[in-house]
Structures are given as structure tokens and as C-alpha cells.
Amino acid sequence: MNSTNDEKVNLTAEYHSYMTDAITHSVMLDRDKCKGCTNCIKHCPTEAIRVRDGHARIENKRCIDCGECIRACQYKAKKAIYDRFEDFADYKYKIALPAPSLYGQFEEVNDLDAMLSALVELGFDDVFEVARAAEMVSEYTRKYLERNDSLPSPVISSACPVIVRLISIRYPLLLDNILPVMPPIEVAARVARKEALEKHPELSDEDICVLFISPCPAKASYVKNPLGVKKSAVSGVLSIGEMFFKMRAAMKTMREEKVQAQSGIIGISWAGTSGEASALFNEKYLAADGIENVIKVLDEIDNGNIRNLDFVELNACNGGCVGGVLNVENPYIAKARLQTLRRYLPVSLNRMGDQRLDSYEWDSLPEPEPVSKLSDDRHEAMRMMREIVAITHTLPGIDCGSCGAPTCRALAEDIVKGRAVADDCVFMMRDKLLKQCASLTQTEEKGETT
Amino acid sequence: MLAACFTKTDCPEVVCSMADFVRLEYDIDGENFTSAGEASVKVKRSLRQMGFDPETIRKVSVSMYEGEINMVIHADGGKATVDIYDDRIVIVLADRGPGIPDIDLAMQAGYSTAPDNIRSLGFGAGMGLPNMAKYTDEMKIESEVGVGTTVTMVVKV
């Protein structure tokens, strides 16, 4: 059953072992398609990609799975890794966890029940909407903000795994600000498992597989390397793009609707920017989307420049989860469609009730990961920094990317780390060659005059 | 009028061989208000790479940010020099702006001479200099009206 998975893992290992690291990422390179251009290195927000020997390589420990390189690659050489439904055929009981953004993908369908029933038609035994768990997390957040006066301000959403990883590698002081509750995907998986075991006492936990239908590869990485919990209750991550076509076909042939949607406006709104924040009924929030914008906001929070805010919602993708790379529809069209879909729904249909959300708080805070640190020894790090500054001054400073590093500064860092040489810079190389030519000509001229 | 005197020879920090510290230098562009604060982000990044603790990094970046904003608002920009030693970080912000006539007054929380258009952006609360003093272990202001201002801040590690 796992043969395809193993294959994928091996591919990942092959292309991503630039730095040995325990993290398994969900973006891989198709070497045959990669032309060695520099589009992806320019778009990577953590400068994790280098082009070496004509192909892109991702530095494992720096990658935050944002998917920007997948968007940037015009040759479609960067691919998201996700699971396939067929790989889970052996499980006795299969539960689908559709992301709220899935609802916005279908042009002709305005019936949530039909979409969810299509999943059952395709072979799932049950469906648990992540939007339901999102409503529970919203309720938890409202209570969390009320009960704690001494919270580090502002509280930052924990829903987007890219953001949590970004904070752990770049903003260690803000780790305390993160809402310490599991993201809706994790809450959904746990509640769904619990409900399934209650409904079917004959099942054991190992018989159940919970598959998230995801808008982004970052969720696949989250499941492999969970944040805040030891092990994720999600068994696998399927792509919205792949399920979309199957679901559309199933809806055409389906005779009856077997599942009823159980989420309200709040849960569905989580699919787009400010959906999570506006559900707090507190206007003191900020919602930012798009990884570059998010980084600017985090820099401001880190500097203490954003005051009087209770909550900050950050989404790595433009438009929020509807902007994830595994979706089929344009994010803004999907968002508009969701506005229509949620129109006559109740505000919220899911309350914590006896689902005590305290039991869905994180086991532990994510650890800071200072991946950019040059050396554990301060003096050595300072020596390296001196060299980096000196080398950067000698480089042309136009950040052309021809050397395979995104900026001249990044090349200087690579040189000091022993991963590149000054001759990788085409301008340095040209100057060197010109000088050599000049000295050759001089020698020749001397030879002629004598 | 020389409001406060502070010459380099008074400062033991600079009596140090070149090999012992890292110098980062930035031109702060006074023409472009939207880029104000960028140098402090770069310094923060470099300090992270050298493995300084997050608290120290925050002190340096907040105090430098405030100083950078001041230079852009009041002095058409200037020059920032950050010398990083393993036990302290020395930030020197030098401008050729109008100078500060009364430093004690300028240091008072809430005192501001920022123009209205800057205030409408949320700046000009009169907390710049007080914050710089608060986040650093030492701060000295050298200023002469009509000549310029040099602010030197030390954050101990």
C-alpha cells in the first residue's frame, strides 16, 4: 500500500538532502523539467533555493512549504507532494476532511450537501468538515482572548502551518504569541475519529484513516512534521485539485445526497483572509495574506510597532486558503462563490459543548529553530559575518541571480560557508577574464617590441 | 550650540582592533519615507545569523528603528553604523539635519516636533528618543543646531 509513498519519500530525500534534516517537505523538483532558471530562487521568502549544476535545490531546513516556488516555476518543475486516495484502500473506515476552500471550487454547484455526498460516492465512509472544527476553534479563541489579560499581545493565529514554521525560524520571541490551540485540521481529525469510534464500537483507531482534502502542500508537511503536537491524527493529505475532477464526475452520476453539511458562515469564511479574525467579534484585529506581506507584518510586530491589537491572522497564500496552490479555481472567484454559498446559513453551527477544546490545546510550544545561524561559536559567526560583509562589497550588488543564489549577499554567505566561489558571479568572472586577456595582450605586445 | 559633548576618544568601544568586531554600515535615505526602518530589519537579520539572543536582537532593532525613523522625519536621512562586538553592540546614527536645540526637552516622553503629515501615519507620539533610551544600556546625543546630530547607543549582550 505504501509503495507510492515510499517512492515519493525517496525522491524527496534525493532532491532535498542538501542539508541533512529530519523535516520532510512537500515540495519536490522534477529534474527533467527544471531548466536551471532563476525564477524560483527569486521568489523564495526564506532564500532556501539555490541553482547548482543547472538544477534548483531546496535547503531543507530553511523551506517553510509556502509553495511560492511552485507558483513561480514556469516549467512546472516544482511539484507538490500529496497522497492518493487509492493508497488508503486497506483501511476499514475512511473519513474525508474537506477544507472550507474546497467548497469554492465548483462553478455549477451551489449545494454543499451535494459536494460532501460526492465524497461518500467516491468511497469515503464519512465526512467531517474542517469548517466545523474551525467554528470550534473560533469559539475557543474568543474565550481565550477574554480569559487572559496577561497574554502576549497580539495573539497570532496558529492555523497556517507556514506561518508557525516561519515564526519558529525567524521570530523566536513571537512563539509565545501564537494561539496555543491545534489548527482546525487537527481538531477536525480528532473529533472525527472520536465520533467514528462512538458510532461504530466495532472499529478500533487503527481501522480508521482520516484524509484531509487540502488546498496547499504545507498541510501535507504539517501532517508529517506536526507543530505543537507529537503526532497528527490526520492519516494523509489529498489534493483539492485531484479530488475536484473526481467529485465533479461523481456529482453528475450521483442519485441521492447522503451527507448534510453542518457548518455555518463562520466555518466557511475561514477559507479566505479575515474569515478567522472576523469570527472573533472583536474589531481589534489585523488580517494579512501573501507571504511577503506577512513577513512585513511580523517584522513590525517583532519590533513592537503594532499596538492595540488583540489578534493577528496571517495567511501565507494570497487571499487566504483559497489561494493555496492545490486549488483549481482563482482565489478571488472562489471567495466570491463562498459568499454566495454561505448566504443563508446560520452564523455558526458548531459549539464546543462537551467537546472540551482544552484537550485540543498544544502539547508543547513549537521550538525556535535558528536556521540562519552561521555558527554555534559566536566568534566564528562574527568572523564569517565580517567576511560576508567584505565579500558583499566586492560583488556588483545587482542581485541578478545568475550565480544561482537569489542575491549578491546570499552568494557572499554561500562563499563564506564554502558552498560557492566568487567565480560563480558572472561579473566577477568577466572582470577576471578581461584582466587575464589584458595581461596576455601586454605580454604579446612586449614580445613584439623586443 | 554644542548641547552635549561626546567624542570618539571618550568612547572606549571604538578603541578596539578591527578584527574583534563586525561593522555594518547603512545610508538612511531621507527622500523615501516608505523605506524607513529597512536598515534595522537588515541589522536584525545579521544579528540572528551571528547567533545573538532574541532579547538583545529586539533591543537593537527597536532602538535602531526609532532612530532611523527620527533621521528620516527630522534630518533628511543620514548614516547608520553598527559595530558588533561579542559583548555589546554599538549603534551610531549620524545626520546633518537641523540639530536638537534642547536635548532634555526632546528626551521627555510625549514631546514631539514631528509635522502633521507624519503624525497622521501614527508617528510623532514623542516616544522615539525615550524608547531608544529605554531599550539601550547607554545612549549619548551629540547635537549642534544647524550642523547635525549624532546618537550613539550601546546595547550590552
Side-chain angles (χ1 to χ4, degrees):
Chain A
M1 177 202 103
N2 274 325
S3 64
T4 330
N5 281 348
D6 288 346
E7 246 175 67
K8 280 173 189 161
V9 169
N10 286 338
L11 281 172
T12 326
E14 186 183 336
Y15 297 122
H16 294 242
S17 59
Y18 194 48
M19 291 294 291
T20 46
D21 191 82
I23 287 182
T24 319
H25 289 290
S26 302
V27 181
M28 66 162 260
L29 184 81
D30 184 335
R31 259 180 98 84
D32 296 335
K33 286 189 175 171
C34 177
K35 299 265 191 281
C37 77
T38 51
N39 280 327
C40 59
I41 60 173
K42 285 295 202 180
H43 284 85
C44 177
T46 58
E47 297 190 338
I49 315 176
R50 299 290 184 272
V51 175
R52 297 273 184 264
D53 308 322
H55 294 292
R57 286 181 182 199
I58 303 176
E59 189 178 345
N60 217 348
K61 62 177 188 174
R62 280 180 184 243
C63 174
I64 54 171
D65 295 290
C66 64
E68 286 299 315
C69 55
I70 299 179
R71 281 190 191 93
C73 182
Q74 53 181 316
Y75 302 105
K76 309 281 172 229
K78 287 273 171 49
K79 288 184 175 150
I81 304 172
Y82 45 83
D83 299 306
R84 292 187 321 164
F85 184 43
E86 296 74 36
D87 300 339
F88 297 88
D90 291 351
Y91 284 92
K92 279 190 194 154
Y93 198 80
K94 297 181 271 295
I95 307 172
L97 297 188
S101 45
L102 174 71
Y103 308 159
Q105 307 298 310
F106 301 92
E107 195 183 347
E108 321 83 5
V109 191
N110 51 16
D111 179 0
L112 291 177
D113 296 348
M115 292 178 206
L116 302 181
S117 300
L119 291 168
V120 174
E121 193 73 12
L122 289 171
F124 281 101
D125 297 285
D126 204 354
V127 177
F128 191 99
E129 297 168 82
V130 175
R132 293 181 57 194
E135 294 187 346
M136 295 179 195
V137 172
S138 286
E139 189 183 346
Y140 172 91
T141 314
R142 285 193 291 273
K143 292 192 169 151
Y144 180 79
L145 291 175
E146 271 170 30
R147 78 174 177 212
N148 274 312
D149 306 332
S150 55
L151 287 176
S153 170
V155 171
I156 300 173
S157 160
S158 59
C160 177
V162 175
I163 305 301
V164 180
R165 283 241 340 123
L166 178 66
I167 291 175
S168 70
I169 67 169
R170 209 182 267 190
Y171 305 96
L173 284 179
L174 299 182
L175 282 169
D176 292 337
N177 294 53
I178 300 177
L179 184 75
V181 76
M182 296 172 194
I185 168 182
E186 191 64 42
V187 174
R190 289 174 190 229
V191 178
R193 275 180 189 273
K194 208 173 121 202
E195 284 187 3
L197 290 171
E198 280 163 12
K199 256 193 275 180
H200 303 278
E202 74 281 7
L203 292 174
S204 72
D205 203 40
E206 295 77 52
D207 298 330
I208 303 172
C209 79
V210 181
L211 301 174
F212 179 61
I213 303 170
S214 177
C216 70
K219 290 290 202 303
S221 301
Y222 162 82
V223 169
K224 288 175 207 146
N225 329 282
L227 299 153
V229 296
K230 285 185 195 77
K231 191 178 183 309
S232 175
V234 182
S235 321
V237 173
L238 312 179
S239 144
I240 283 185
E242 209 171 278
M243 293 304 284
F244 169 80
F245 295 101
K246 293 179 183 171
M247 287 172 71
R248 205 170 56 170
M251 274 187 268
K252 281 184 182 143
T253 55
M254 199 165 62
R255 295 238 180 99
E256 51 167 349
E257 292 180 358
K258 295 167 185 156
V259 187
Q260 272 201 325
Q262 295 178 62
S263 46
I265 293 175
I266 285 180
I268 291 173
S269 302
W270 269 66
T273 307
S274 78
E276 178 188 4
S278 58
L280 302 177
F281 313 135
N282 173 345
E283 71 283 5
K284 280 154 73 178
Y285 74 80
L286 174 159
D289 57 320
I291 192 74
E292 293 297 336
N293 299 327
V294 160
I295 288 172
K296 284 186 183 144
V297 169
L298 284 170
D299 278 331
E300 296 284 330
I301 299 175
D302 201 29
N303 263 5
N305 295 328
I306 298 187
R307 299 180 192 98
N308 305 319
L309 279 184
D310 287 345
F311 190 76
V312 172
E313 175 195 323
L314 301 171
N315 296 287
C317 296
N318 286 323
C321 295
V322 285
V325 288
L326 298 180
N327 290 311
V328 288
E329 188 55 277
N330 170 292
Y332 302 96
I333 296 175
K335 205 177 169 192
R337 225 171 255 158
L338 289 169
Q339 282 159 23
T340 315
L341 280 170
R342 71 183 189 195
R343 194 159 170 197
Y344 297 110
L345 294 179
V347 173
S348 175
L349 280 167
N350 299 275
R351 278 162 200 85
M352 286 191 281
D354 50 352
Q355 307 279 6
R356 291 188 35 85
L357 222 66
D358 297 2
S359 52
Y360 299 105
E361 282 180 352
W362 276 351
D363 301 335
S364 59
L365 277 181
E367 292 284 316
E369 293 171 52
V371 296
S372 68
K373 204 153 112 178
L374 294 165
S375 165
D376 286 334
D377 175 57
R378 170 76 54 77
H379 287 98
E380 176 60 7
M382 287 175 66
R383 184 196 65 75
M384 291 171 82
M385 182 57 72
R386 257 195 308 276
E387 264 187 66
I388 290 169
V389 173
I391 294 172
T392 308
H393 279 303
T394 67
L395 295 171
I398 57 170
D399 297 343
C400 69
S402 303
C403 61
T407 60
C408 293
R409 161 72 181 241
L411 174 63
E413 289 176 18
D414 289 350
I415 293 171
V416 172
K417 288 175 189 162
R419 292 179 193 163
V421 289
D423 285 354
D424 287 333
C425 171
V426 289
F427 296 93
M428 298 285 276
M429 193 62 175
R430 187 188 61 181
D431 289 351
K432 196 171 151 183
L433 286 175
L434 284 175
K435 270 180 203 151
Q436 281 175 356
C437 282
S439 70
L440 270 178
T441 327
Q442 271 180 359
T443 331
E444 264 175 39
E445 279 168 0
K446 271 181 199 164
E448 277 167 16
T449 49
T450 46
Chain B
M1 181 191 81
L2 198 61
C5 186
F6 174 56
T7 58
K8 283 203 165 176
T9 45
D10 293 331
C11 175
E13 281 81 16
V14 293
V15 189
C16 202
S17 75
M18 278 300 283
D20 290 341
F21 68 101
V22 177
R23 172 166 287 182
L24 305 172
E25 290 170 300
Y26 304 91
D27 284 321
I28 310 297
D29 182 6
E31 299 291 307
N32 188 355
F33 192 71
T34 56
S35 68
E38 281 179 3
S40 66
V41 169
K42 287 180 183 157
V43 168
K44 185 156 71 172
R45 179 184 151 176
S46 295
L47 291 175
R48 240 184 347 241
Q49 288 182 303
M50 286 181 268
F52 284 91
D53 66 290
E55 206 51 62
T56 303
I57 296 176
R58 175 173 276 177
K59 283 181 183 170
V60 171
S61 89
V62 169
S63 52
M64 177 155 169
Y65 175 89
E66 296 281 14
E68 220 185 315
I69 296 287
N70 277 349
M71 283 206 287
V72 176
I73 294 177
H74 300 287
D76 276 344
K79 200 167 160 46
T81 308
V82 183
D83 287 343
I84 301 149
Y85 302 80
D86 68 339
D87 63 341
R88 67 197 183 283
I89 293 147
V90 182
I91 308 154
V92 181
L93 304 170
D95 68 56
R96 294 177 177 279
I100 306 169
D102 185 340
I103 291 177
D104 290 339
L105 183 62
M107 285 299 295
Q108 278 178 24
Y111 178 81
S112 172
T113 56
D116 284 346
N117 62 334
I118 297 294
R119 284 171 196 262
S120 65
L121 284 166
F123 294 102
M127 293 310 292
L129 287 173
N131 267 341
M132 286 154 72
K134 183 178 144 192
Y135 282 99
T136 53
D137 296 295
E138 286 169 35
M139 180 166 106
K140 286 176 185 173
I141 303 173
E142 181 190 22
S143 187
E144 196 173 344
V145 173
V147 177
T149 302
T150 298
V151 179
T152 302
M153 296 177 280
V154 180
V155 171
K156 288 181 181 152
V157 178

